Every structure is written in structure tokens, then in C-alpha cells.
Amino acid sequence: MNRAIDNVIETDGALILGAGIAGLFTALKLAPFPALVLASSRPGTSGSSAWAQGGIAAAVGEGDDWLSHAADTIAAGAGLCDPKIVNLVAREAPDRIADLVAMGTPFDRDASGALALGREAAHSRARIVHVTGDRAGAEISRTLAARALATPSIKILEGFHAVELAMEDGRAVGLFARQGTGADARLVMFKARAVIFATGGLGALYAVTTNPLEARGEGLGMAARAGALIADPEFVQFHPTAIAIGRDPAPLATEALRGEGAVLINDKGERFMTALHSDAELAPRDVVARGIHRQIAGGHRVVLDCRAAIGAHFANHFPTVHAACMSAGIDPAVQPIPVAPAAHYHMGGIASDAEGRTSLPGLWVAGECAATGLHGANRLASNSLLEGLVFGARVAEDVKATISSGTNRGLPPAPIAFALPAPPHVLRAAMNRHVGLERNAEGLGEALATIARLEQASGGEPALLNMLATARLVTAAALARRESRGGHWRSDFPLTQKSGARTFVTLADVGRVEDFAQRRVHS
């Protein structure tokens, strides 16, 4: 028997799930078209967007152009980027930076007053705009939140946790969300003409992550359980330099440190990355992450040495990293920073087109929960916030052009249960051990068995089923891809095939994907 709905809230505009940079920018670009934004906590202060340190990539410097930015993106994507998507994002990037400047974002400036530009891994030029060195995500989030809160067409509701899409005749017409805790929890249905997911990533499904613990892949899981097409779920990026001080989530040592010249050294005093890639510490993230991972697996400690490159300027140039280090008794100006890879970004997600449309009518996506084809198998540094901005603007324009205001009729069935469980420890441990930086058929099979046991014990709880659906999609797709490419590395299939193809799968397909992969493994 379905759970009774305590309240129905109808909006005559768009319903946006998520109040990070992608969600808030979409709402602002929709104005004056009305938008109702559901936020789990105070906008501008939490989530992966607010934690982002690196900055935003855009060809805004003298001598740079969008073609160079596009070429770097495609090179990093290991053969799976969609060139049309890459080109449109690189072309539109300067305009999105201009939007943020107009909104008051306090980007770092050089002595002439121009935007100060940094270089990060796999970029051929300095094209990353920052705010106070490592506070881009926090300051952009704060700026957008202030703008959104002051915009009459935007209404932000805090404290709601979405658990299931509301579907009518194959169309997304709203969301079921939980409000409150324990016995006082209420199930609320939100109805809208357009539903926009900006729900972020899935890092917290892993035991070691740089993501906030609410980044549990629930948006992807909700869409998948409603039948949406999912793209490239096997490609998870691990940030090479999480600060290894035993915290969950792990603080991040931004890639910009390596862009400034910081080097990776093992406990034998060796700068090991020079032997692994011509760009050493500025190699693509998957290369650097695996290099560190193998050092640690071999029993070595790895540190990021910033003393010569940054030294006494550390506190002013990278205040967020400095504070994290000092809280653990490490002064990064004079001491190396212990580092290890951690789950950081999901290149896959809900499949979407150039306007952010998904395979489900009525549902659009923007930001990390989307799979646009921009990142391919390995995201280029500082393209993540950019993607959220570019597609936030595109989604807004498409919604305004195709959806008239008004309300939906009818009341879809509500979920049976709607509690708010955390990802089970056993799931996070299995994902970290078997679906991490190095994978193989045996480990992936064990992870799938763990996921199946948790599904059987779930009691039909939709929030948990959302997380497990996401974990299953990542794991099954990793089992089916019998090669190593970008963020996906198979120790039993270490070579990269000459030609690569993106993964497109639904949750209904996953059983067949698993069977097919198992047959191929044992053939």
C-alpha cells in the first residue's frame, strides 16, 4: 500500500532539485519565468559546488581561444568526448564567465585589472579563473545564492529531500520529497510543468571521497528507476590529492597547487611522476591518481611538497587548503602534505542532449548528475563548474521556449516508504575496494553481489534504492567495459581498444549487461 501524501504543492513554473551552482544559475537564467528550488540545506553554503577549489576553465586570456580549450578537453577525454558538445561548451565559456562577473563574482585579478589566469593539469595554457586562489566554488555559490534570494521569480525551499520522481503517462510531472525526521516526517508532492535535476554526483557512495556526504547519486538513481537512459556510469574520477588525515569526507588539496609547481614525492624522496608521464604532476588526473595509488599499494607514503613552489605565500594564495592542513597540525608552507586519491567526480550520469533534455519527457538535467558527452572518459580540470553554467543557461532557454506556465492535473501514486538512510557502510566499502581506481571482474562481481543483498534488505525504501541503483549502474557498466580507458582501469584488461564507444544503458538493461559481461569474462 502506498504511503499517504501529506501535502501537494503545485508550481506554475519549473521545479529545480538542487541549489548548487548548476541549480541556482539555471533558476537565475529562467527569470522572470518562475522557478521553485528545493534545497536540502542553506543555498550557497553546502554541496560539492561550494567545496570546489580549482576554478573555471575558459578561453578568456590573450592568445587563447576556444579551439585550444576544446582540443585539450578532447585529449583528456580519452576518445569518448562528444566533439559537438565540447565545441559548444568551449565557445560559450567566456560568456558564462561574463555572466558571473556581471553578477558580482569577485574573481582574482592581475596588476592590470584583467582576470588572473592559472594553469591546471592537461591544459595547454593558463585559462583557469579563480577566487582567492582556492575559493571559487564557495564565492560563486555565495554570489548566486544572494542573487537568487533577491529574485522575485525564484522561490527556494529548504529542508526537503526528494526520494522519487512523479510520473504520469511516461512524463515527469514532479517529485515526492521528505520533510522532517522520525515520526514527524511528512511526504510532500511537488508538481510542475518542468522538472530540472541539478543533484550533483555520487562520491559519497565511496568510503574515501572529497565530496560532501549528501553526494550519494540519488538524482541519477531516481531518474534511472523512472526509466531514464544513463550514459557512461563506469567513469568515476578520483582526485589524486585528497589530504590524507583520516577525515570523512577528505579535505582536498587543489590541483592548482601542482599548477603552481608543487611536486609529488614518496617516502624514499623520489619524484615518481616524472617517470610516468611527460607532464609529470600535470598529467591527466587518472594518470596521477593511479601513480599515487600504486605507490601507496606498494607500501609507500606520498606527500605533496609545496615548500619551494609556494612556501610563505600559502596562507594567502590557498586559504582553504591551508586551514585544512593547519587543523591537522600540518603547516604546508614548511611541511609536505600527506595525500591519497579519493572519489571526486562522476563523468557519467543521466544522458542528456545539447539542451539538457533527458530521455524522460518533462525532465531536464544540468551539472554533475548529467552526462552531456563533454568529459568523455576523464574530465579535464575545471570543466565541471563550467558545464553546470553552460547547461544551466541552455536548460533555462529550452524550458522557457517549450513549456508554458500552468499546473498539472492528477495525482501519481506515492512511494511506499520515504525514510532517509545514509549509504550503508558495507556499500561504501565495497565500492571503494572493488569499483575504485583499479578494477577487475572478480571484484566487480563481488560488488554486484553486495548491492543485490542490500537491495533485498532495503524494504522498498526509495532513497536507499536510488543509491543502490546508481551503484549497480556504475559497477555493471564497469564489468561490461573490457578495456582500460580514462577514469576506468581494469587490471585484467589493461589495454585501451583502438576505437571506443560511450555506454548507454537503462536500469532495466543492467541485468542483461551483467549477464553479457559475465558470459564474456568466462568465455
Side-chain angles (χ1 to χ4, degrees):
M1 183 179 213
N2 287 347
R3 175 69 163 79
I5 300 171
D6 295 296
N7 194 18
V8 178
I9 298 174
E10 300 192 33
T11 175
D12 59 358
L15 175 64
I16 301 174
L17 181 59
I21 284 175
L24 293 175
F25 194 75
T26 303
L28 288 164
K29 283 293 188 179
L30 277 167
F33 190 88
L36 175 61
V37 180
L38 296 187
S40 59
S41 57
R42 186 68 176 171
T45 62
S46 63
S48 295
S49 290
W51 289 20
Q53 294 179 11
I56 304 176
V60 294
E62 186 176 351
D64 199 4
D65 58 46
W66 71 264
L67 289 168
S68 176
H69 184 185
D72 289 346
T73 299
I74 288 173
L80 293 192
C81 294
D82 182 332
K84 292 182 180 178
I85 295 295
V86 172
N87 289 345
L88 75 84
V89 170
R91 279 198 308 267
E92 295 178 14
D95 288 341
R96 301 292 75 83
I97 299 299
D99 285 339
L100 294 180
V101 170
M103 291 178 183
T105 304
F107 287 117
D108 295 343
R109 303 278 177 168
D110 62 22
S112 71
L115 290 170
L117 303 175
R119 185 184 173 195
E120 293 180 4
H123 284 275
S124 58
R125 301 176 187 231
R127 64 166 65 95
I128 316 301
V129 295
H130 296 101
V131 183
T132 319
D134 61 7
R135 288 188 52 79
E139 290 300 323
I140 296 168
S141 296
R142 181 189 60 77
T143 299
L144 295 182
R147 283 273 180 162
L149 290 167
T151 301
S153 62
I154 300 173
K155 183 176 182 180
I156 300 176
L157 295 181
E158 300 174 31
F160 288 91
H161 187 99
V163 296
E164 195 165 284
L165 265 172
M167 303 291 295
E168 280 185 353
D169 300 323
R171 181 179 182 86
V173 297
L175 290 168
F176 294 101
R178 178 182 184 274
Q179 182 186 32
T181 58
D184 295 327
R186 302 165 65 243
L187 182 64
V188 179
M189 182 185 177
F190 292 89
K191 300 193 73 177
R193 306 291 290 181
V195 179
I196 302 168
F197 272 13
T199 55
L202 51 70
L205 294 181
Y206 287 80
V208 182
T209 181
T210 63
N211 290 179
L213 297 181
E214 62 263 34
R216 306 185 289 199
E218 292 178 81
L220 191 159
M222 266 187 281
R225 290 178 59 229
L229 187 66
I230 306 301
D232 307 321
E234 66 268 40
F235 294 108
V236 179
Q237 187 174 78
F238 289 76
H239 199 288
T241 53
I243 304 174
I245 50 177
R247 292 184 185 166
D248 182 24
L252 179 65
T254 174
E255 196 159 280
L257 295 167
R258 284 174 279 135
E260 292 289 323
V263 295
L264 291 162
I265 298 174
N266 63 20
D267 53 8
K268 296 188 292 184
E270 298 170 336
R271 187 183 170 193
F272 56 89
M273 282 306 304
T274 55
L276 300 180
H277 196 279
S278 59
D279 289 334
E281 284 83 5
L282 292 179
R285 281 185 174 175
D286 64 300
V287 176
V288 181
R290 278 195 299 274
I292 298 172
H293 170 74
R294 288 172 181 172
Q295 289 286 323
I296 294 172
H300 299 294
R301 182 171 178 266
V302 176
V303 297
L304 182 66
D305 193 344
C306 307
R307 293 174 294 181
I310 303 166
H313 303 291
F314 206 113
N316 289 330
H317 288 185
F318 300 99
T320 304
V321 181
H322 185 266
C325 290
M326 293 296 286
S327 72
I330 300 166
D331 183 350
V334 297
Q335 295 173 278
I337 305 169
V339 294
H344 182 64
Y345 189 85
H346 190 209
M347 277 79 75
I350 305 162
S352 64
D353 65 11
E355 314 308 326
R357 297 185 184 190
T358 72
S359 63
L360 298 179
L363 178 66
W364 285 256
V365 287
E368 190 175 350
C369 68
T372 64
L374 172 65
H375 305 303
N378 193 38
R379 175 177 68 89
L380 181 65
S382 289
N383 268 355
S384 54
L385 296 183
L386 173 63
E387 182 186 38
L389 295 169
V390 168
F391 283 93
R394 286 181 156 265
V395 166
E397 290 305 309
D398 193 55
V399 167
K400 287 190 290 187
T402 59
I403 300 296
S404 59
S405 62
T407 55
N408 295 305
R409 296 180 178 273
L411 198 63
I416 295 173
F418 68 108
L420 183 53
H425 172 74
V426 66
L427 173 64
R428 297 185 73 193
M431 294 297 287
N432 222 76
R433 181 176 181 183
H434 300 305
V435 202
L437 269 165
E438 297 198 13
R439 305 160 172 180
N440 58 52
E442 181 180 2
L444 292 167
E446 289 186 25
L448 287 170
T450 297
I451 293 165
R453 288 195 297 271
L454 290 169
E455 287 173 336
Q456 291 172 357
S458 69
E461 167 49 50
L464 180 56
L465 290 177
N466 293 334
M467 301 176 217
L468 293 171
T470 297
R472 178 176 288 282
L473 284 158
V474 172
T475 308
L479 184 60
R481 183 172 289 277
R482 291 161 55 93
E483 64 164 347
S484 292
R485 183 184 296 271
H488 167 74
W489 182 268
R490 289 281 297 263
S491 60
D492 48 353
F493 294 99
L495 300 181
T496 302
Q497 296 175 3
K498 290 184 178 179
S499 61
R502 296 181 65 194
T503 297
F504 291 95
V505 66
T506 67
L507 192 58
D509 295 331
V510 162
R512 292 189 290 274
V513 169
E514 293 170 14
D515 292 343
F516 172 70
Q518 292 284 13
R519 286 198 301 271
R520 293 192 66 181
V521 166
H522 296 297
S523 62

